[in-house]
Amino acid sequence: MLKIRPIENHEVNQITQIEFESFTDPYPKDLFQYLAKMSPELFLVAVDEDIEEKGILGYAVADIKRHVPYRIGHILSIAVCKQYRRRGIGNQLLSELIHLFKSKGCNSIVLEVRESNLKAKALYQKLGFFEVKRRRRYYEDGEDAIVMTLDLEAAL
Ligand SMILES: CC(C)(COP(=O)(O)OP(=O)(O)OC[C@H]1O[C@@H](n2cnc3c(N)ncnc32)[C@H](O)[C@@H]1OP(=O)(O)O)[C@@H](O)C(=O)NCCC(=O)NCCS
């Protein structure tokens, strides 16, 4: 059965591997080490204990921006191992993050996604996110980011 739980420090290498296979401009291992140490409760991993070759199938990592009086959940990265995609893991990771942000009193959630990343945009839209603005040439290769948000107060 699929289980979503906070990361353990020794799992950072596996996360970095998935990040590097998933993105052309991956976050470095150092950042994941820092985030896993500072706020493991916002760094979720998906594991399936029924799978013989045990390991992490996907992850979602976030932080919370505090702009008094608002708290905004910010999704930094989400990825699923290539061979386990399209089985609902991304959906479960994101749903759990939304639940977590609500429990921490966040008013909304924000994220950036490459304009061309239609799969990720479809996932976010499915869970109620909508496009709010564009950040021009946000990525190193010059692609624009689309900023998407989910209003948690409206979703209550
Ligand atoms: C985006 C990603 C995390 C989705 O994870 P996943 O486990 O494959 O997604 P799910 O199986 O939970 O799919 C949930 C929804 O996402 C959308 N989706 C996922 N894969 C899709 C695909 N190949 N084509 C179209 N829509 C897709 C669909 O709306 C899907 O719902 P449906 O199955 O009912 O149609 C995964 O494709 C991934 O790791 N991509 C590389 C990293 C990345 O781009 N991350 C996002 C950065 S902003």
Side-chain angles (χ1 to χ4, degrees), residues 117-128:
N117 195 345
L118 303 182
K119 298 172 193 172
K121 282 204 249 176
L123 165 64
Y124 300 137
Q125 272 158 1
K126 196 175 169 186
L127 289 180

Side-chain angles (χ1 to χ4, degrees), residues 18-19 21-23 57-59 75-82 84-94 111-114 117-127 139 146:
I18 302 171
E19 173 86 7
E21 79 168 28
S22 301
F23 297 101
L57 308 184
Y59 64 90
I75 298 177
L76 298 169
S77 187
I78 176 168
V80 173
C81 279
K82 275 193 177 149
Y84 290 101
R85 286 184 191 159
R86 212 68 210 262
R87 299 185 189 192
I89 298 176
N91 194 319
Q92 285 199 52
L93 280 163
L94 191 57
L111 60 86
E112 290 88 13
V113 56
R114 278 181 182 268
N117 195 345
L118 303 182
K119 298 172 193 172
K121 282 204 249 176
L123 165 64
Y124 300 137
Q125 272 158 1
K126 196 175 169 186
L127 289 180
Y139 298 99
I146 302 300

Side-chain angles (χ1 to χ4, degrees), residues 17-30:
Q17 235 174 339
I18 302 171
E19 173 86 7
F20 274 70
E21 79 168 28
S22 301
F23 297 101
T24 51
D25 52 351
Y27 284 127
K29 182 177 165 187
D30 289 3

Side-chain angles (χ1 to χ4, degrees), residues 13 51 74 84 97-98 117:
N13 277 341
I51 293 178
H74 181 214
Y84 290 101
L97 257 192
I98 294 171
N117 195 345

